[in-house]
């Protein structure tokens, strides 16, 4: 079944948010770059998705006016098969991505990017509900520590574990970069 890799929101905007942390960034970038390289080597389309929202002002890191809606430093340069800008959590809402995937006969999506529990998870659930087979590549997603409503900390590792748990076998196959690439061989 034809596949496509989605590289969701891997953009400089995040460096300008208070929640951003460099702690997990090197491992994430190594995995994300390996996934991109593996897909490119197998002629799998790699689709770049950026997120833009909020006021269109230079001080909003997610506005186009900020100059931060561009690839995250450290992400390998690649020729995207298509690029979309989204304004919602799901990359399939209002972007034209669904039409592009359908026109290209894509049946399987490989989901990667930033943030694990937000845009990556939301896109995965939406894609599954629309009928795509989805591989959620946990090591090629990144998130940051959060604070729970009761004030307790919630680590990025716990968020990734929770996301994998709720998606597994319901909305996606949870896999590593190596496992995702093996499916393409």
């Amino acid at each position: 079944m034809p596949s496509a890799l989605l590289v969701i929101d891997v953009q400089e905007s995040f460096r300008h948010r208070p929640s951003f942390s460099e702690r997990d960034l090197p491992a994430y970038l190594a995995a994300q770059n390996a996934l991109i390289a593996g897909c490119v080597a197998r002629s799998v389309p790699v689709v770049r998705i950026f997120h833009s929202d909020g006021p269109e002002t230079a001080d909003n890191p997610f506005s186009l006016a900020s100059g931060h809606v561009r690839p995250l430093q450290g992400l390998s340069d690649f020729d995207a098969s298509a690029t979309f800008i989204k304004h919602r959590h799901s990359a399939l809402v209002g972007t034209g991505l669904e039409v592009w995937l359908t026109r290209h006969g894509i049946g399987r999506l490989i989901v990667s990017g930033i943030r694990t529990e937000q845009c990556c998870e939301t896109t995965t659930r939406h894609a599954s509900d629309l009928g795509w087979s989805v591989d959620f590549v946990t090591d090629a997603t990144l998130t940051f520590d959060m604070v729970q409503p009761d004030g307790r900390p919630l680590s990025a590792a716990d968020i990734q574990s929770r996301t994998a748990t709720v998606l597994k076998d319901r909305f996606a196959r949870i896999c590593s970069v190596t496992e995702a690439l093996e499916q393409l061989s």
Side-chain angles (χ1 to χ4, degrees), residues 2-185:
S3 300
L5 170 61
L6 304 183
V7 180
I8 300 172
D9 301 350
V10 185
Q11 62 193 67
E12 279 297 314
S13 305
F14 286 102
R15 285 190 196 276
H16 303 277
R17 298 296 292 247
S19 61
F20 183 79
S21 169
E22 296 274 342
R23 182 189 63 218
D24 299 325
L25 188 61
Y28 160 72
L29 283 171
Q32 181 71 79
N33 289 336
L35 185 58
I36 291 167
C39 286
V40 168
R42 291 163 176 81
S43 299
V44 171
V46 180
V47 177
R48 185 188 308 272
I49 299 152
F50 289 118
H51 187 90
S52 177
D53 72 10
E56 198 53 45
T57 59
D59 63 335
N60 170 14
F62 283 89
S63 79
L64 297 175
S66 73
H68 300 306
V69 181
R70 59 183 164 83
L72 186 70
Q73 183 180 354
L75 181 68
S76 294
D77 190 31
F78 63 92
D79 290 325
S81 299
T83 298
F84 298 92
I85 296 178
K86 65 181 184 57
H87 305 284
R88 300 284 187 261
H89 292 100
S90 173
L92 293 160
V93 174
T95 61
L97 175 60
E98 181 178 358
V99 172
W100 188 92
L101 294 168
T102 301
R103 284 187 179 156
H104 287 85
I106 303 299
R108 176 175 166 254
L109 302 179
I110 305 165
V111 173
S112 66
I114 304 174
R115 291 184 65 159
T116 306
E117 79 291 354
Q118 289 185 27
C119 298
C120 295
E121 180 178 339
T122 302
T123 299
T124 295
R125 288 172 179 265
H126 193 171
S128 174
D129 283 350
L130 291 174
W132 275 284
S133 173
V134 182
D135 277 2
F136 190 89
V137 188
T138 307
D139 52 341
T141 70
L142 178 68
T143 195
F144 312 105
D145 297 341
M146 296 175 75
V147 176
Q148 297 180 68
D150 65 6
R152 290 181 298 139
L154 183 60
S155 73
D158 286 344
I159 294 167
Q160 286 190 313
S161 178
R162 172 252 170 229
T163 299
T165 299
V166 298
L167 292 178
K168 183 181 185 302
D169 300 332
R170 293 172 189 88
F171 299 96
R173 179 176 83 108
I174 304 303
C175 60
S176 66
V177 169
T178 300
E179 292 165 336
L181 294 174
E182 285 171 353
Q183 285 288 109
L184 301 172
S185 301

